Amino acid sequence: MKFTINQREMIYALNILTRAISTKTTMEILKGIFIEAKANHLTMKTNDLSMSIIIEIPALVEEEGVTVIESYLFNDIIRKLPDDAITIEKKTDHISLICSQSKYKLLMMDDETFPKVPEQTDGVEIVINQSVFSNMIKMTNFAVSRDETRAILTGSLLEVKNNVMKMVSIDGYNIAIKKVVLQDAPDASVIVPGRTLNEIQKIIGYNVDDEISLVIGSNYITFEFDNVKIISKVLEGEYIKYEQVIESEFGIEVDVDNREFYDAIDRAALMANKSRSYIVIFDFEKDQVTISSQSEIGQAKEEVEINNTGKNIRIGFNPNYLMKALRVIEDEELVLRMTSPVRPCFIQPKNNDSYEYYLVPIRINQ
Amino acid sequence: MKFTINQREMIYALNILTRAISTKTTMEILKGIFIEAKANHLTMKTNDLSMSIIIEIPALVEEEGVTVIESYLFNDIIRKLPDDAITIEKKTDHISLICSQSKYKLLMMDDETFPKVPEQTDGVEIVINQSVFSNMIKMTNFAVSRDETRAILTGSLLEVKNNVMKMVSIDGYNIAIKKVVLQDAPDASVIVPGRTLNEIQKIIGYNVDDEISLVIGSNYITFEFDNVKIISKVLEGEYIKYEQVIESEFGIEVDVDNREFYDAIDRAALMANKSRSYIVIFDFEKDQVTISSQSEIGQAKEEVEINNTGKNIRIGFNPNYLMKALRVIEDEELVLRMTSPVRPCFIQPKNNDSYEYYLVPIRINQ
């Protein structure tokens, strides 16, 4: 195997491929990047056993073949090389890399032991704009559970029904739901690992107008865009029946400016986090919410103008959860709906019902 | 005590003052910021027992007085407040802080126990351009020893003799010396803690054309610029006689491009650091230096054009030390002078003898 490729092309590929390199694995081969040189292109693969990434890039192939290179050092070297042609050749016991006045010999890993990328045998296809999909992930992924004991919640529900695609994340304290309308999309339902979605969001970026294809099968989901293909396992089991905890009738409805509300919580959180209580108390009155917190070294009190069409309520929240949700909502105005200090608070952009966020309050002494 | 100050003014002061707040201290009072409100200004102080910072800023003082506020939370709150007037008032058992719709109560520390800023009773004054002084620190501070067992080397020698100011840092592996010419400066010699110099460099910045005054005494050194005064202890004892290890005759003289040399070492260092050997081998020939390193997973070989007017030499260095020095030299061309693989290598910008750097080689198997 021998090929020549530009340093920039290789950096582009590595930026994407390294997202399926696990830093914690004890299986050395999973730290490798599989490279196949064929005709006028390379097919490069990484695989962390939960997710595989395959990327095709053009290259000047002098001799076809396959190899696996340890990714960490390879990645570091490529990044520091000049923007020039790199020639990589498989020798009997090592990989040779030459770029300008730089010559490297690198460990060759056993390509026979590189785990096979799974074959997805079933599925329905949905095509969606990359930035729309990226935004769905951004608005829900922060609420994915990190608790491996309830594995199903470490994934997000991705559901298509009657041409509406819904992404739902739940971690026991909060629920985030984002909906988009599709055209002529088949119904489907799958639970995608939160980590897969997180990595995909980083790869496709936020401002890309191209489309991404999702093929949703019973065991795998495949994402395909540009020259990249990502195949991820899906989580097996039934997703939590979250509709049961969501109420549709709220006695209290509050309009508030997102930025002002966020900034006030951000400051009050300093005090709440200092005491490690992580409780901020909200006193919603008619025209004003008072946000307060305390620690052994002080007290914070913030006031923000609101418009409350219901009765007054005193309710406590973990400010750090609340801020995560407010950060992903780009709309200026918010609506908060509440029932009682022990029932979830529902938050939505004022003029946009495609996003729903529910936060469970913290019980406080009245 | 009651005063009003703009949020931006307070941030400016805190940016400087927090540099003398120790994060590791068990003496709670050292985490405090001493504030004295008088006439139309505040005098604020911090003191980590090795260094004190005093800053004066204008404020609207309604009631004179003193207090000490715990710095961490105060700092965080001030930064998150809107750019608006902040009113701070000392109450019977707490400090009240009001800014727009934000109200805070903060712990009041006992100002009686705040350590006194030392009185410097002797000294000679030297005035120097801030950016020139900052550059002296930058070019030498990286070579200050972190080894507390030879405390004297954790400081830099600052010496003025015949209108030349010299700053010298040594850590047993390398020596960095930077000289500047002054006009009508009195002779002086003092050892300043490396940490003090590091903090001062951060405070005065790099592109400031104003002057800084140094008052060098036998126990303290005082730095004064703008509205800031920093008083630091000096290190007691005699500085190492570094001239003895420095040689003036070198058989080998090499001219090399700083950037090309640095980039090649930077790549070869990846391999050397991977193996944790931290050795890169340099084969200096007539027109070329070959830079090589190896680890269990590969080998690196880099070639850089040079002009060597002496004999060939194979010599080993810790690439991380070498890179630190090359990074602070802004000149494009370097001269390296060597005698043997076991004697220090001398590095200097090609057309600028105000800087000298010596690096002890690592013994290698020939």
Side-chain angles (χ1 to χ4, degrees), chain A residues 286-354:
Chain A
K286 193 168 164 41
D287 304 318
Q288 175 179 290
V289 56
T290 304
I291 302 165
S292 55
S293 61
Q294 54 187 323
S295 77
E296 64 285 3
I297 69 165
Q299 286 173 33
K301 191 177 269 188
E302 296 279 345
E303 288 164 1
V304 177
E305 251 181 55
I306 58 168
N307 180 27
N308 179 0
T309 55
K311 63 182 195 320
N312 293 355
I313 183 172
R314 156 167 279 212
I315 190 167
F317 293 113
N318 180 322
N320 306 306
Y321 281 107
L322 191 48
M323 284 192 289
K324 278 188 192 174
L326 299 185
R327 262 200 298 267
V328 300
I329 301 176
E330 285 171 11
D331 306 67
E332 274 176 40
E333 284 180 277
L334 301 177
V335 187
L336 278 63
R337 294 191 182 90
M338 287 161 281
T339 314
S340 88
V342 294
R343 299 288 305 156
C345 170
F346 172 54
I347 300 177
Q348 199 163 53
K350 174 84 175 164
N351 301 309
N352 175 359
D353 63 3
S354 76

Side-chain angles (χ1 to χ4, degrees), chain A residues 102-104 299 301-302, chain B residues 102-105 301-302:
Chain A
S102 305
K103 288 174 196 156
Y104 287 79
Q299 286 173 33
K301 191 177 269 188
E302 296 279 345
Chain B
S102 306
K103 289 174 195 155
Y104 287 79
K105 287 184 183 181
K301 191 178 271 189
E302 296 278 347

Side-chain angles (χ1 to χ4, degrees), chain B residues 130-140 178 206 330:
Chain B
Q130 286 188 31
S131 66
V132 169
F133 190 63
S134 170
N135 190 46
M136 287 190 93
I137 300 172
K138 182 185 104 175
M139 298 199 81
T140 55
K178 174 71 183 168
Y206 190 58
E330 286 172 11

Side-chain angles (χ1 to χ4, degrees), chain A residues 110-329:
Chain A
D110 178 11
D111 55 78
E112 298 283 331
T113 65
F114 193 82
K116 275 223 159 17
V117 171
E119 294 275 342
Q120 179 170 352
T121 52
D122 64 345
V124 294
E125 187 181 12
I126 288 157
V127 174
I128 182 171
N129 177 286
Q130 285 189 31
S131 66
V132 169
F133 189 64
S134 170
N135 191 46
M136 288 190 93
I137 300 172
K138 181 185 106 175
M139 298 200 81
T140 55
N141 205 257
F142 70 91
V144 169
S145 174
R146 268 88 184 136
D147 180 2
E148 293 291 337
T149 60
R150 282 179 89 189
I152 204 83
L153 294 187
T154 63
S156 289
L157 175 69
L158 187 67
E159 196 180 62
V160 184
K161 213 190 236 171
N162 306 326
N163 292 320
V164 173
M165 181 153 101
K166 203 163 32 168
M167 198 178 276
V168 183
S169 302
I170 301 179
D171 80 346
Y173 301 97
N174 47 191
I175 305 175
I177 304 170
K178 175 70 184 168
K179 285 177 263 186
V180 297
V181 176
L182 297 176
Q183 282 185 339
D184 301 323
D187 284 4
S189 179
V190 70
I191 304 159
V192 189
R195 216 202 109 226
T196 295
L197 292 171
N198 190 32
E199 299 296 356
I200 283 173
Q201 200 210 359
K202 286 178 187 152
I203 296 172
I204 61 179
Y206 190 56
N207 284 312
V208 183
D209 240 357
D210 295 340
E211 293 189 318
I212 179 168
S213 144
L214 281 56
V215 179
I216 299 173
S218 43
N219 298 310
Y220 296 100
I221 180 167
T222 299
F223 303 87
E224 209 168 342
F225 53 97
D226 309 331
N227 49 351
V228 180
K229 194 170 177 179
I230 297 167
I231 301 150
S232 171
K233 280 191 184 164
V234 300
L235 297 178
E236 281 171 50
E238 214 176 332
Y239 202 66
I240 197 166
K241 295 265 171 283
Y242 64 93
E243 288 94 342
Q244 295 169 357
V245 304
I246 292 178
E247 34 214 302
S248 53
E249 297 286 326
F250 298 93
I252 302 156
E253 182 167 320
V254 169
D255 290 349
V256 65
D257 180 273
N258 190 352
R259 181 66 191 268
E260 277 180 42
F261 193 48
Y262 180 89
D263 287 350
I265 299 168
D266 192 20
R267 288 189 291 268
L270 290 172
M271 198 67 81
N273 293 341
K274 186 87 188 172
S275 70
R276 296 179 191 279
S277 69
Y278 308 111
I279 303 175
V280 168
I281 294 172
F282 295 76
D283 284 291
F284 289 96
E285 290 166 30
K286 193 168 164 41
D287 304 318
Q288 175 179 290
V289 56
T290 304
I291 302 165
S292 55
S293 61
Q294 54 187 323
S295 77
E296 64 285 3
I297 69 165
Q299 286 173 33
K301 191 177 269 188
E302 296 279 345
E303 288 164 1
V304 177
E305 251 181 55
I306 58 168
N307 180 27
N308 179 0
T309 55
K311 63 182 195 320
N312 293 355
I313 183 172
R314 156 167 279 212
I315 190 167
F317 293 113
N318 180 322
N320 306 306
Y321 281 107
L322 191 48
M323 284 192 289
K324 278 188 192 174
L326 299 185
R327 262 200 298 267
V328 300
I329 301 176

